[in-house]
Amino acid sequence: MPIIINLDIMLARRKVKSRALAAYVGITEQNLSLLKSSKVRGIRFGTLERICEFLECQPGDLLEFVPGDSTQDDGDTLD
């Protein structure tokens, strides 16, 4: 997938646990885990906004485009 999700990196930089982020954003830890592993097809802007707000970062800090194979997988949209 050409979009890389760097959420683990931002969590480590901010020294934040996934559980705290999930609680703040209002999503389950399981959904956050799916997002971290790039197993989702999309993310709502509201969810992205809350993540960026909590981690004090920009969307570009979390998402990276890497040109290459654009294979599709059966991931879900994250609410």
Side-chain angles (χ1 to χ4, degrees):
M1 175 180 260
I3 302 292
I4 306 298
I5 300 172
N6 295 315
L7 185 53
D8 277 337
I9 294 168
M10 289 306 298
L11 287 168
R13 285 183 182 164
R14 300 294 192 257
K15 297 179 178 146
V16 173
K17 302 271 185 193
S18 295
R19 175 174 287 175
L21 177 60
Y24 182 84
V25 173
I27 61 175
T28 65
E29 288 181 64
Q30 182 178 6
N31 278 341
L32 188 61
S33 177
L34 290 171
L35 176 61
K36 290 191 309 185
S37 63
S38 299
K39 293 188 178 181
V40 295
R41 213 179 260 211
I43 182 170
R44 293 182 188 272
F45 283 132
T47 302
L48 182 58
E49 178 183 348
R50 297 281 290 173
I51 291 171
C52 289
E53 184 178 284
F54 187 79
L55 295 176
E56 298 178 351
C57 68
Q58 295 295 314
D61 297 327
L62 300 170
L63 305 172
E64 178 182 354
F65 174 72
V66 179
D69 184 33
S70 62
T71 58
Q72 291 185 353
D73 51 302
D74 295 324
D76 296 323
T77 301
L78 183 62
D79 292 329

